[in-house]
């Protein structure tokens, strides 16, 4: 007996991205990258500066563990249907003016 297969179409969604890009406003001082957002389905953070930056979801970012280290040129991405944190995102870097790109959806 031949197997029968159903056509399964993945659920897709589209969403407008909010630009959260910026720079480290004061080296060594944490700043808010994105506020709490219960509807967040996507987050991208890319370090486009030349120094390490750190970010955190559960507590204020510090330049060490438990924050997440992002080397120069590296990026971090979360997207649905996988896990996406809806918590406030805090970011910190040691050098004023270091740039990051961030998109939230």
């Amino acid at each position: 007996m031949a197997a029968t297969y159903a056509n399964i179409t993945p659920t897709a969604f589209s969403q407008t991205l909010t630009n959260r890009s910026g720079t480290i406003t004061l080296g060594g001082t944490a700043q808010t990258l994105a506020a709490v957002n219960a509807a967040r389905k996507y987050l991208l953070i890319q370090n486009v500066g030349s120094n390490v930056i750190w970010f955190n979801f559960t507590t204020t970012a510090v330049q060490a563990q438990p924050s997440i280290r992002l080397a120069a040129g590296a990026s971090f991405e979360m997207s649905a249907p996988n896990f996406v944190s809806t918590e406030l995102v805090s970011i910190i870097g040691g050098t004023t003016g270091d740039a990051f790109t961030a998109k939230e959806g």
Side-chain angles (χ1 to χ4, degrees), residues 1-54:
M1 183 156 136
T4 303
Y5 297 96
N7 287 332
I8 300 173
T9 304
T11 303
F13 66 92
S14 61
Q15 193 165 347
T16 301
L17 293 175
T18 301
N19 185 14
R20 302 279 185 217
S21 303
T23 60
I24 300 300
T25 55
L26 181 60
T29 302
Q31 63 194 64
T32 298
L33 185 142
V36 171
N37 182 351
R40 183 181 298 138
K41 292 182 176 64
Y42 181 79
L43 181 68
L44 166 73
I45 305 169
Q46 182 180 25
N47 181 354
V48 295
S50 55
N51 299 295
V52 171
I53 58 174
W54 301 76

Side-chain angles (χ1 to χ4, degrees), residues 37-86:
N37 182 351
R40 183 181 298 138
K41 292 182 176 64
Y42 181 79
L43 181 68
L44 166 73
I45 305 169
Q46 182 180 25
N47 181 354
V48 295
S50 55
N51 299 295
V52 171
I53 58 174
W54 301 76
F55 64 97
N56 206 332
F57 299 97
T58 55
T59 62
T60 301
V62 295
Q63 295 178 77
Q65 187 184 30
S67 295
I68 299 166
R69 183 182 190 273
L70 205 55
S75 62
F76 174 88
E77 182 179 33
M78 291 189 297
S79 63
N82 299 313
F83 176 81
V84 178
S85 174
T86 59

